[in-house]
Each structure stands twice: as structure tokens, then as C-alpha cells.
Amino acid sequence: MKLSGAEILLEALRLEGVEEIFGYPGGAVLDIYDRLPFSSLKHYLTRHEQGAAHAADGYARVTGKVGVCFATSGPGATNLVTGLATAQIDSVPIVAFTGNVPTYMIGNDAFQEVDTVGITRPITKHNFLVKDVRDLADTIKKAFHIARTGRPGVVLVDLPKDVTRELTDFFEEEYKSPVQIRSYKPVLKGHPGQIKRAAKAIASAERPVLYIGGGVVSSGASELVVKMAEVANIPMVATLMGLTAVPGNHPYFFGMLGMHGTYAANMAVTDCDLLIAIGARFDDRVTGKLSEFAPNAKVIHIDVDSAEIGKNKPVDIPIVGDAKLVMEELLPEVEKQVSKNKEFLLSREKWLMKVKSWAERYPLYYEPSDRVIKPQFVIEKLCEVTKGDAIITTDVGQHQMWVAQYYKFRFPRQLVTSGGLGTMGFGVPAAVGAKVGRPDKTVFCISGDGSFQMNMQEIVTAVQYSIPIKVAIINNGFLGMVRQWQGIFYDKNYSQVHLDVQPDFVKLVEAMGGVGIRVEKPEDVEKALKEAMTINNRPVVIDFVVDREEDVFPMVPPGGVLHEMILPKYGKKKIKKAI
Amino acid sequence: MERPLHRKHVISVLVENQPGALARIIELFSSRGYNIESLNVGRTEDPTISRITMVAKGDEHTIEQIVKQLRRIIDVFKVRDLTDKKKLDRELLIVRINVDSNEKKEEVKRLVDIFGAQIVDLSQDTYTVELTGDEEQIDAFLELIKPLGIREMARTGRVAMVRALQGDTFDEK
Ligand SMILES: Cc1ncc(C[n+]2csc(CCOP(=O)(O)OP(=O)(O)O)c2C)c(N)n1
């Protein structure tokens, strides 16, 4: 059957199981948009291409499927860049399609031409320029395969206009045949010898710690990891990306480690004699000063990307492989070893007690107030009202860290946040994508007054498609996280961080067609959250006017040592003695 | 702090012969601020696969990282650090030398003989010489002709392959 390039694209997407896409049209993709209404795909018109990329990202993060976005050539493609970079660094599978000028005009500086593959090369896992319509189907197949296998990532396919226009044969059966890329063969199964060594090390360590990263969430290894902690009495800590891998109230879980990690998590890592890193990449926000990170520990590192192993920290037992597949092999080995080594489990109890005592002695803490709204209080209340069951997207800043600290997550893929790139403007469009992907869940975006203003136009997208996302702005009138750094490291020289001139968020949201609520008193927080939960047909934004100068603690200064945290002032609260 | 040992590494890469593949490899170096001393690309016995030989300076950790990052590139089949392998390691030099006197002409002919080079082009007052050899040989030759006056030169950078006794060049991606 002869189809045009545009029709082939839409057919291929259907065969890949894609149902929803996010995009923004323009001249170079008109042939695609012309056929779109006749396809089975539901297209969401965002208000900015960055929004389309973040929405596809949010969709992918909550569903585990590949997110898809469209943009036109030139400015459309460049507007995608931040969104693609955000997804790539957090290993989120996305396939982005961009239009381009016809092949015979490429390189001429034609109207709306940019070198899209050149611009996006460093921020994608791979990218393609399709120069012949006969290569199109095969390229799309490869793009999806590369995006979703191995370490997931972003693949961009650039489509010159003539390629979407020309006709060629397309056979569904052929499309369904397996993908062949001879130079791409990700290693998924761990090396059996290394797995045995790891199991031995785990069974004989006195003070092991499980250091859980985003790879555990994306590979679906959560249950196995938690099981291992239980079988072998191992305390768990997680990165921002790894937070939802573990139920937030699990007795062996001590929260996030790193710059704004808990005292217990950071101390456990500092004191451990075996660090078991799974799907985590030793980011500097996690490790602080590398030479002092887990200074006395042997390191096991499980990662699907061999280039991550040993990149920042020397590793004793490297295991290249998919976290889930590796854990399926490793867990029975550990069980075997542990059953031989019962007395160790007892000494581990002591280790667990020690970590617990740190948690009790220096818990997360803020000074409560009945006068002003404390941001942490909002997150705690949110967790209560949503029963810990909402999908939370965030922007970037203090509010993001408070979410990480105070929301007790219950299931994997529940937190959608820009960990690696730290992209302000991510939260609202990501929430749109997340709600499209999981319409059964409450989706709450926690944003800052600064971040919200970066992509708030996507509220209109939510209005257009009746997507009932909820947004809580933690409004401190500052670029809060920057102000915090200026406060601590720059002698309170608050340069260019005041957001005194602000839109009236309530009126603004109403003008966009959503519901706006303002909350200024602590006693109204819960009521507003509950009210937001009742609105099911359009977006609602709650503007929480909070304490202006609240800081995030604990804090490890950048490049500092994990166990030298700046702790909150515990005020009148009684701190229990360490056991 | 002790500075890690920097030495020249010879890295051999087999890559899909496709637009973008080379760009990706070069970008990997430039985006991390690594310097490539020489880079050579040519086809292999399979016309769809190219062999890249690159020479880069760095400490062991850095080079190991480069090798791992190279392996991650989708179009890359195989990567191997040949530095400590027994290998055939060659470079081609083409150099135009000033020979405006008979003594100089004689001197060049003598050196060409000794080094097993060839005079491949000439004009009234220049000889153009071609020499194949390992890096040291080429450096030594250039050193000796420098006093005569080099008008222009081009060298390819290295191409390398492990010796047959060491088994196939590549055994892993
Ligand atoms: C696109 C982008 N620009 C700048 C930054 C640097 N940055 C990090 S946090 C922050 C302040 C965020 O302020 P706000 O959204 O109000 O959140 P708060 O910290 O007050 O919770 C800034 C400017 C960033 N992360 N992303």
C-alpha cells in the first residue's frame, strides 16, 4: 500500500501503541497535521513547545511508556530543547518529531531552518534526520526501540517537509518485525560471577546501605529492592529520583540523601562499610565532596549504563545490567547467603537501630506557626488530604525539596520532578502530561511563584481539554532557593530574587478559565486543599502565601561533606537522646 | 595533590558509516573539553563500517571514561584502547622541503634514503617527500630536515591495528 510520509508516521505511532501526543503545529509539519484528524491519535495542543516536551515527559514518567511530542522546524524545534534535555538527563523515554525545510533546501538558511539534529545531538540519546521517505518507517521503529531499551532516553526524528509528503510502500507486517540495530546491543543481564560476589559482600558486611536511584523506579525493581532490605536487614536511602521506589513509611527507609537529605540518611552513608548503589549515578547533589562520600565503604554499583559505573566514584563490584533483572538474580543469592549467616542479621539489627536513633535524634523539623503558613506544613497537609496517593509534579527550588522531604510516597512513579537538569517551568506542563497518562489519579503540581510564571500558560491547555490538574503555588515572593543560597553564602545580598511585582494568581487563573484560590492563614490550608480535590473538570490553582524567609534544612553546602550538615534550629521541640 | 600521569592513548573505534556518527564522536570530546591530538577516519573491509583511530592525551581514568562514553554511542560497534597492545602504528607525512642549493638537494636525498621515504614531486627549488612510519620516525625525519626549510607539510595522524598475535583487534563493544 502506498502512503505518504505523514501517513506512515501516524500509522507507525499507532503500531507502537502510542495513543496520546503533545505538540504544536507549523509550516514544516502541516502535512502531518493534515492527516492527524484521520488517525487514532489524540493530540494535545500545548501553548508552547517546551510545554509539549515536558508534558510528554510527565506522561512517560508516570506511565512508563514512551512519551511523544511534535514541533515544527526552526523556533518550534529550538523551543523543545530545554524539555528534551530535561528528559534525557533523567533517563525518560521520549521520541520527538520535528519538521524541517524540504531536503533540497537544507543548509540554505531557508525560512525557519535550523540544524535541529546538530542542536539536539548533545541532549539526546540518539537522533535521526530522515532524508528519504523509504527510510522513514524503519527509522521510527529504531527511534522507539532506542528510546525505551537499555538506559531509556530521548530520540529525535527530524522530518523534512518533502519526506512527509512523498509516497512509498508501507506494510504493517514488515513494521512489526523485530528491530535490528547491529551496533546497539544493551547489556541487560548482570554477570553471574559479579552477582555472586555482590551477594557475598552483602551477607558479610556489618553496616550496609542501599542507595536507591531513579533506575530502580524506571526498571520496576522497587519490590525486589525493598524485599532485599527486609531479608538482609539493610537500611535504605534514596536519591530525589529514587524516592518513590520505596514506601515513604517503610521502617527501613530513611529518606533522601545528599544536599537536602535527612541526617539519618547522610550519616548512614558516611558510616556504612558497604554501599549498594542501584540505578543511581553519584550526582554531586547527592555525594557532596566525593572523597568523603561513603569514605569507608566497599561499593557495589548496579547500573544498565556501564559508562556510569566508576564515573565519579571507584567501584569494587560493578554489575552492568537492568536493575530488575539483576535483582531477580541477586535476591535469591542474598537469601541463600543470609540463611548461612544468621548471626550477621543480629548485628545488622544493631546497625538498623543506630540509623534509627539518628533519625529520632535529628528528624526533619520546622518551627510550626499558627500565624504564618509554613511551606512544610502545606506539604504535610497535602499528604494527609491526598492520603499519600496523589501523583506529585514539582518545579524547581525550595518547594521541590520540601516535597521530597515531607510527602510520604506510596508507589513508584508517583513523583515527577526534574532531578538532573533542575528545570523551572517543568511542573505545570508535566502535570498536564501526567494527568493525561494517569486520569485515575489526583495530579498535584507543587510549584514556586517563580517557577509557576515560567510555563503557566499551560493552564490554558488544561482548560481546553478539561484536564483537572491541581497546582499549589508555594508563594514566598522570592526565587526562594536562590535567596537561601544568597542568605547563607553571600551574606544576605538578595540580588535579583525579589518577586514583589506579581500577577494576582487567582485572577490570572480565572482569566485562563481555571479555578483560583488564595490562602493566607494556616487554618485555611486544609480546607483549600479539600476544596481543590472536589474540582474535577478544570484546573485549580491554590496560591499559598507562605513564610517569606523559610529555608530548607538539613543542608550540605555544595562540595561539602555529607556528615557536616547545617541542621534546622530545633527550637522548643524536645530532641530525644540517641540510643 | 599529585597530578595523575598523562600519556598519549591510541583509541580505535569501529563505527557505522553514517552522517552524524563522526560528529557525535568528536562532540563527545569537545563537550568535555578533551583535546584530540589526531583523528583518522577511513573505510574498513566492510564499506558500511568505518574505522576511526584517535590519539588523545589524558590520565587513565579520563581515557577509561572516554572509552566507556564512546561505547555508549548508538552508531559505535567497538572501541578499544590500543595503547598498551602490540600494534602496527603508522602515520603518513607529506612535506615540501626547500632545496635551493645542490647541498640541500643531496642532503634531502640522503635522508630520504635512510628513512625509506620517497620524493614524489619536485619543482625548481623544492622536493616533496612522502614518508610512512611510526610517530617517532616521522618526528625524527622532520627534525633533521627542519634546518633546510619546510615550506608546507601535512601529516595524517596515526592509524593503528593490533598485531595478529594479539588476536582480533576487537573483542568487545
Ligand atoms: C530555568 C531555570 N532558570 C533558573 C534556575 C535557577 N533556580 C533554581 S531554584 C530557583 C528559584 C526558584 O524559585 P521559585 O520557583 O519561586 O521556588 P522556591 O525556591 O521559592 O520554592 C532558581 C531561579 C533554574 N533551576 N531553572
Side-chain angles (χ1 to χ4, degrees):
Chain A
M1 198 172 39
K2 288 233 188 281
L3 297 182
S4 72
E7 289 165 331
I8 290 173
L9 166 62
L10 297 171
E11 270 301 285
L13 292 180
R14 180 179 66 81
L15 294 171
E16 292 292 342
V18 176
E19 292 168 59
E20 283 125 345
I21 54 183
F22 305 88
Y24 209 97
V29 286
L30 275 183
D31 286 278
I32 302 170
Y33 276 81
D34 181 56
R35 304 323 297 161
L36 195 55
F38 308 102
S39 79
S40 60
L41 299 166
K42 173 126 174 87
H43 178 277
Y44 292 87
L45 176 67
T46 57
R47 293 305 187 263
H48 189 299
E49 287 87 351
Q50 188 185 348
H54 289 327
D57 183 335
Y59 178 92
R61 289 189 206 226
V62 301
T63 59
K65 295 196 273 188
V66 178
V68 177
C69 58
F70 284 8
T72 191
S73 64
T78 53
N79 270 354
L80 281 183
V81 166
T82 303
L84 300 185
T86 302
Q88 171 64 11
I89 195 165
D90 284 342
S91 309
V92 179
I94 284 191
V95 177
F97 294 93
T98 45
N100 213 332
V101 299
T103 44
Y104 54 85
M105 279 166 49
I106 286 181
N108 284 355
D109 297 333
F111 176 65
Q112 291 195 331
E113 182 195 352
V114 295
D115 174 11
T116 303
V117 290
I119 290 172
T120 58
R121 203 175 284 129
I123 54 158
T124 52
K125 182 172 174 184
H126 197 63
N127 62 15
F128 296 96
L129 169 63
V130 183
K131 288 212 265 200
D132 185 330
V133 70
R134 286 167 298 183
D135 298 332
L136 179 58
D138 192 50
T139 304
I140 296 172
K141 208 161 105 166
K142 284 180 177 160
F144 274 87
H145 178 69
I146 292 168
R148 64 163 75 99
T149 53
R151 177 177 184 171
V154 175
V155 181
L156 180 135
V157 183
D158 199 26
L159 301 168
K161 187 160 179 175
D162 49 338
V163 169
T164 61
R165 216 159 223 215
E166 277 160 15
L167 301 178
T168 193
D169 286 319
F170 180 79
F171 300 107
E172 188 166 329
E173 283 317 304
E174 209 171 288
Y175 190 89
K176 286 183 182 157
S177 64
V179 183
Q180 292 293 343
I181 307 174
R182 51 185 187 167
S183 56
Y184 175 67
K185 304 242 155 32
V187 177
L188 300 179
K189 271 193 82 116
H191 186 281
Q194 293 296 77
I195 288 179
K196 283 222 165 67
R197 277 182 67 204
K200 281 217 178 87
I202 291 169
S204 57
E206 276 177 36
R207 301 181 310 280
V209 165
L210 276 160
Y211 157 35
I212 297 165
V216 173
V217 176
S218 66
S219 82
S222 294
E223 275 178 38
L224 294 161
V225 171
V226 173
K227 181 94 188 285
M228 186 156 96
E230 289 168 354
V231 164
N233 277 352
I234 308 175
M236 301 181 279
V237 301
T239 66
L240 178 65
M241 298 303 294
L243 274 181
T244 64
V246 179
N249 58 1
H250 193 286
Y252 292 6
F253 180 56
F254 294 93
M256 185 166 74
L257 80 163
M259 181 175 279
H260 293 295
T262 65
Y263 183 83
N266 285 346
M267 289 305 289
V269 168
T270 302
D271 201 31
C272 72
D273 65 349
L274 178 69
L275 188 71
I276 309 156
I278 312 180
R281 57 189 185 87
F282 296 81
D283 184 275
D284 57 281
R285 284 291 189 267
V286 161
T287 62
K289 192 175 173 191
L290 261 170
S291 57
E292 309 260 339
F293 179 69
N296 307 314
K298 249 184 151 174
V299 178
I300 300 173
H301 191 178
I302 301 168
D303 206 293
V304 73
D305 182 355
S306 66
E308 284 301 343
I309 296 182
K311 186 177 81 178
N312 296 332
K313 169 109 185 149
V315 169
D316 301 282
I317 306 179
I319 304 179
V320 180
D322 173 78
K324 185 172 182 193
L325 296 182
V326 171
M327 287 304 294
E328 277 171 2
E329 306 288 328
L330 181 58
L331 183 58
E333 285 293 329
V334 170
E335 282 173 329
K336 234 193 287 171
Q337 292 286 338
V338 164
S339 63
K340 284 193 233 158
N341 247 318
K342 284 267 193 283
E343 61 278 22
F344 260 112
L345 280 190
L346 290 178
S347 76
R348 293 277 177 77
E349 296 268 356
K350 263 195 225 144
W351 167 233
L352 269 170
M353 292 303 282
K354 188 169 179 189
V355 182
K356 242 176 219 156
S357 76
W358 283 323
E360 279 167 19
R361 189 163 184 191
Y362 298 110
L364 287 171
Y365 177 74
Y366 64 93
E367 192 70 50
S369 165
D370 46 19
R371 206 172 29 83
V372 294
I373 301 175
K374 293 287 183 164
Q376 302 93 327
F377 174 73
V378 177
I379 311 295
E380 281 181 330
K381 274 284 160 232
L382 175 70
C383 190
E384 241 174 78
V385 168
T386 58
K387 303 190 174 65
D389 191 49
I391 286 174
I392 305 290
T393 76
T394 80
D395 269 293
V396 173
Q398 295 181 311
H399 62 277
Q400 179 187 30
M401 292 299 116
W402 284 316
V403 166
Q405 293 178 335
Y406 288 92
Y407 200 92
K408 299 288 170 239
F409 295 100
R410 289 174 41 192
F411 57 91
R413 301 190 175 280
Q414 205 184 340
L415 173 63
V416 177
T417 191
S418 168
L421 203 64
T423 308
M424 289 171 72
F426 175 77
V428 172
V432 169
K435 185 70 185 172
V436 169
R438 290 297 302 270
D440 56 319
K441 290 280 175 197
T442 298
V443 175
F444 239 109
C445 164
I446 313 300
S447 190
D449 41 329
S451 294
F452 182 70
Q453 290 182 64
M454 278 207 183
N455 270 321
M456 59 189 177
Q457 75 283 355
E458 298 308 336
I459 292 289
V460 187
T461 308
V463 170
Q464 174 173 352
Y465 299 100
S466 306
I467 302 172
I469 58 167
K470 304 173 201 313
V471 181
I473 302 174
I474 306 297
N475 186 347
N476 51 15
F478 274 120
L479 296 173
M481 188 57 102
V482 179
R483 183 205 50 72
Q484 173 167 347
W485 283 47
Q486 290 173 337
I488 299 176
F489 306 116
Y490 294 87
D491 216 6
K492 292 207 174 183
N493 179 16
Y494 292 163
S495 167
Q496 301 299 321
V497 287
H498 295 268
L499 294 175
D500 296 333
V501 176
Q502 265 181 348
D504 177 332
F505 289 118
V506 172
K507 280 194 192 150
L508 181 74
V509 168
E510 276 165 4
M512 290 193 280
V515 177
I517 303 170
R518 176 168 299 117
V519 183
E520 282 165 319
K521 295 202 205 88
E523 64 264 29
D524 297 334
V525 169
E526 186 169 345
K527 199 176 90 216
L529 288 167
K530 283 188 170 150
E531 187 185 337
M533 293 293 285
T534 63
I535 297 164
N536 288 320
N537 56 356
R538 53 202 165 129
V540 46
V541 176
I542 317 173
D543 180 18
F544 288 106
V545 181
V546 302
D547 194 348
R548 285 175 62 89
E549 298 206 24
E550 188 72 23
D551 281 343
V552 183
F553 293 117
M555 179 178 193
V556 179
V561 181
L562 281 200
H563 60 91
E564 290 170 7
M565 285 156 271
I566 308 172
L567 290 168
K569 291 208 175 61
Y570 285 95
K572 286 156 255 156
K573 193 180 154 102
K574 257 206 173 141
I575 303 298
K576 275 198 216 156
K577 273 228 158 76
I579 301 166
Chain B
M1 215 170 72
E2 209 176 312
R3 257 179 83 98
L5 185 69
H6 283 248
R7 55 178 188 142
K8 275 186 192 172
H9 284 250
V10 182
I11 299 166
S12 187
V13 184
L14 288 186
V15 62
E16 196 84 50
N17 184 7
Q18 254 180 21
L22 185 60
R24 234 169 238 118
I25 287 167
I26 292 173
E27 218 163 64
L28 193 138
F29 282 77
S30 63
S31 67
R32 287 167 172 77
Y34 303 147
N35 198 17
I36 305 177
E37 291 210 348
S38 78
L39 177 79
N40 225 293
V41 194
R43 282 205 300 225
T44 61
E45 68 283 1
D46 177 344
T48 64
I49 297 178
S50 298
R51 181 191 297 275
I52 297 176
T53 312
M54 50 212 315
V55 178
K57 230 180 189 170
D59 62 82
E60 298 302 312
H61 177 75
T62 308
I63 298 294
E64 197 188 312
Q65 278 312 305
I66 291 181
V67 167
K68 283 181 170 177
Q69 300 281 347
L70 284 169
R71 285 191 180 128
R72 194 149 86 148
I73 294 173
I74 306 288
D75 289 326
V76 167
F77 286 90
K78 277 169 180 171
V79 186
R80 199 162 173 195
D81 185 348
L82 302 184
T83 314
D84 295 325
K85 302 278 184 260
K86 288 216 169 61
K87 58 185 171 296
L88 300 161
D89 186 339
R90 297 288 182 272
E91 187 169 350
L92 170 67
L93 167 76
I94 300 175
V95 56
R96 182 164 298 134
I97 308 160
N98 196 10
V99 285
D100 51 8
S101 68
N102 279 337
E103 293 85 59
K104 287 189 182 175
K105 287 194 172 122
E106 285 313 309
E107 176 65 0
V108 171
K109 283 189 199 148
R110 198 175 68 87
L111 291 172
V112 160
D113 251 7
I114 295 172
F115 277 83
Q118 267 185 325
I119 297 171
V120 288
D121 191 23
L122 38 84
S123 72
Q124 230 163 25
D125 59 353
T126 66
Y127 281 172
T128 303
V129 171
E130 165 194 312
L131 171 65
T132 310
D134 64 25
E135 198 185 15
E136 290 75 39
Q137 279 170 310
I138 289 184
D139 285 346
F141 182 75
L142 282 172
E143 204 50 46
L144 289 168
I145 59 165
K146 212 194 242 160
L148 308 177
I150 295 172
R151 293 276 185 91
E152 206 179 345
M153 65 171 258
R155 55 197 288 187
T156 57
R158 291 197 241 181
V159 294
M161 225 158 109
V162 292
R163 286 186 177 274
L165 283 176
Q166 297 252 310
D168 279 344
T169 313
F170 292 109
D171 44 22
E172 53 176 341
K173 175 156 176 174

